[in-house]
Amino acid sequence: MTQSKTKELISTIKTKDSLTAVRVAMDLNELQDKTTGQLIELVATMDKNMKLLATKVLELEKRYYEGF
């Protein structure tokens, strides 16, 4: 939704309950944005850890096979 459409929609709201509903929706959207950001960080950390683990496994395999 564009900014002008958002302003137009908000300007049509006439009752206090409607304004409250808009505020709740905006707060929920903000919370969802934060949660999404946290999930992105979590996945990035997991990816980094998996790459580190794979590197360590390769290093151990190399040492193991060099021993034979």
Side-chain angles (χ1 to χ4, degrees):
M1 183 178 292
T2 64
Q3 187 175 6
S4 62
K5 286 191 180 237
T6 302
K7 285 182 180 181
E8 181 182 326
L9 178 63
I10 291 173
S11 70
T12 63
I13 298 171
K14 302 294 181 199
T15 67
K16 184 178 186 287
D17 288 342
S18 297
L19 288 171
T20 301
V22 169
R23 172 54 95 188
V24 168
M26 291 174 73
D27 289 346
L28 287 173
N29 187 46
E30 184 179 335
L31 180 61
Q32 185 179 19
D33 288 346
K34 288 179 184 177
T35 302
T36 301
Q38 290 172 338
L39 286 172
I40 290 169
E41 288 178 23
L42 176 63
V43 170
T45 300
M46 289 173 62
D47 180 63
K48 180 181 172 186
N49 288 338
M50 290 297 293
K51 288 176 182 173
L52 180 61
L53 178 61
T55 301
K56 296 296 181 184
V57 168
L58 289 173
E59 289 173 358
L60 287 172
E61 284 180 340
K62 182 179 176 184
R63 280 194 224 159
Y64 176 78
Y65 289 116
E66 286 176 351
F68 285 106

